[in-house]
């Protein structure tokens, strides 16, 4: 489904990604891993069109989308949940969901119900401003908003960061259901090795802006791979 080929990304004169390539087959869950600052978020933003690569290409289902703006990638079935539990803090949970629905091309109210079926704990919070939610609740809201667009490819940037353990379990269950039961293709940035082992089909490890290792998830048990992830 997604193919990233020889991508270079620069911030000014600083080269952040060095010829990075990865594949996310249709129906798979690929975990993008590595220490802080190695370029994981930069790669997701480039894939989503928020950053323009200096070289290389991004393809979605065989179509070169390297030059497409973000909104056109969304229309082609991509969705991105960035770090930081992003929402409109002054709006209620319900208003956050409705704003997202209004921005979609399909505008089908059933999409909200489908998202809430994944995170039913949001229902009692409909009237609460998003700014008053816990970190875990905001993260669930952020993912629910992405699901309203009915994506075929979901990019998740560390969805468990800063989230209490009980909510991590809920997010893990939701991602597993979306992937294995709904067939959603997922590119997941995740630091927790155990979570990656439970969820992923394959993985890619970045180190200093380069692909240091990639393979089936069973290879995460390899000591040389674990050293690439240690702080």
């Amino acid at each position: 489904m997604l193919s990233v080929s020889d991508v270079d990304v620069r911030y000014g004169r600083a080269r952040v990604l060095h010829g990075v390539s990865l594949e996310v087959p249709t129906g798979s869950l690929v975990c993008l891993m590595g220490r802080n600052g190695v370029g994981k978020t930069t790669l997701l933003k480039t894939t989503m069109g928020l950053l323009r690569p200096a070289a290389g290409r991004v393809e979605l289902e065989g179509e070169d989308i390297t030059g497409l703006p973000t909104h056109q990638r969304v229309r082609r079935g991509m969705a991105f949940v960035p770090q930081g539990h992003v929402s409109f803090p002054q709006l209620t949970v319900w208003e956050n969901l409705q704003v997202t629905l209004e921005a979609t091309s399909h505008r089908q109210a059933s999409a909200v119900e489908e998202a809430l079926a994944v995170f039913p704990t949001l229902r009692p919070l409909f009237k609460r401003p998003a700014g008053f939610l816990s970190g875990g609740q905001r993260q669930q809201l952020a993912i629910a908003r992405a699901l309203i667009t009915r994506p075929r490819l979901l990019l998740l940037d560390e969805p468990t960061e800063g989230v209490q353990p009980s909510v991590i379990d809920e997010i893990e269950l939701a991602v597993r259901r979306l992937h294995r039961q709904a067939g959603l293709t997922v590119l997941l940035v995740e630091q927790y090795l155990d979570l990656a082992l439970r969820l992923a089909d394959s993985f890619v490890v970045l180190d200093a802006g380069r692909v240091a290792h990639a393979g089936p998830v069973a290879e995460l048990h390899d000591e040389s791979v674990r050293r690439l992830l240690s702080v």
Side-chain angles (χ1 to χ4, degrees), residues 97-133:
L97 298 173
Q98 288 300 306
V99 165
T100 305
L101 180 63
E102 288 298 315
T104 65
S105 56
H106 59 76
R107 296 190 180 183
Q108 296 181 14
S110 57
V112 175
E113 289 302 315
E114 291 166 8
L116 290 172
V118 179
F119 295 111
T121 53
L122 292 176
R123 287 187 183 276
L125 305 173
F126 269 176
K127 296 182 179 180
R128 184 174 301 179
F132 288 93
L133 300 177

Side-chain angles (χ1 to χ4, degrees), residues 2-210:
L2 175 69
S3 178
V4 176
S5 304
D6 299 318
V7 163
D8 284 6
V9 176
R10 298 175 182 271
Y11 292 132
R13 295 183 179 181
R15 190 177 177 189
V16 180
L17 296 181
H18 306 257
V20 170
S21 298
L22 63 80
E23 300 286 333
V24 183
T26 300
S28 68
L29 192 155
V30 177
C31 192
L32 182 61
M33 309 184 76
R35 301 182 184 97
N36 290 332
V38 298
K40 303 185 299 296
T41 295
T42 296
L43 181 55
L44 287 194
K45 288 182 175 180
T46 304
T47 301
M48 201 64 205
L50 297 168
L51 295 173
R52 185 175 292 273
R57 58 194 284 143
V58 179
E59 296 182 358
L60 183 68
E61 296 185 321
E63 178 189 4
D64 185 354
I65 62 170
T66 311
L68 289 183
T70 300
H71 72 274
Q72 291 191 21
R73 301 186 195 209
V74 172
R75 290 176 181 173
R76 282 163 171 77
M78 299 176 66
F80 176 40
V81 181
Q83 287 177 298
H85 319 145
V86 177
S87 63
F88 299 107
Q90 73 279 15
L91 300 183
T92 66
V93 169
W94 177 249
E95 289 167 340
N96 266 272
L97 298 173
Q98 288 300 306
V99 165
T100 305
L101 180 63
E102 288 298 315
T104 65
S105 56
H106 59 76
R107 296 190 180 183
Q108 296 181 14
S110 57
V112 175
E113 289 302 315
E114 291 166 8
L116 290 172
V118 179
F119 295 111
T121 53
L122 292 176
R123 287 187 183 276
L125 305 173
F126 269 176
K127 296 182 179 180
R128 184 174 301 179
F132 288 93
L133 300 177
S134 69
Q137 291 165 342
R138 289 198 304 273
Q139 185 63 72
Q140 291 180 76
L141 176 59
I143 299 174
R145 288 177 57 210
L147 294 177
I148 287 175
T149 68
R150 289 180 169 165
R152 292 178 291 116
L153 171 62
L154 180 62
L155 311 181
L156 291 172
D157 194 356
E158 296 200 47
T160 62
E161 183 185 31
V163 174
Q164 58 266 41
S166 61
V167 180
I168 290 176
D169 292 341
E170 293 178 18
I171 291 173
E172 178 183 349
L173 179 59
V175 173
R176 179 181 290 109
R177 286 175 174 170
L178 289 168
H179 168 50
R180 297 183 182 176
Q181 297 179 17
L184 185 62
T185 305
V186 181
L187 177 58
L188 168 69
V189 170
E190 184 51 64
Q191 295 281 39
Y192 288 114
L193 181 60
D194 289 344
L195 187 61
L197 284 166
R198 292 193 296 268
L199 286 177
D201 301 308
S202 60
F203 71 96
V204 176
V205 177
L206 293 185
D207 188 38
R210 294 178 171 87

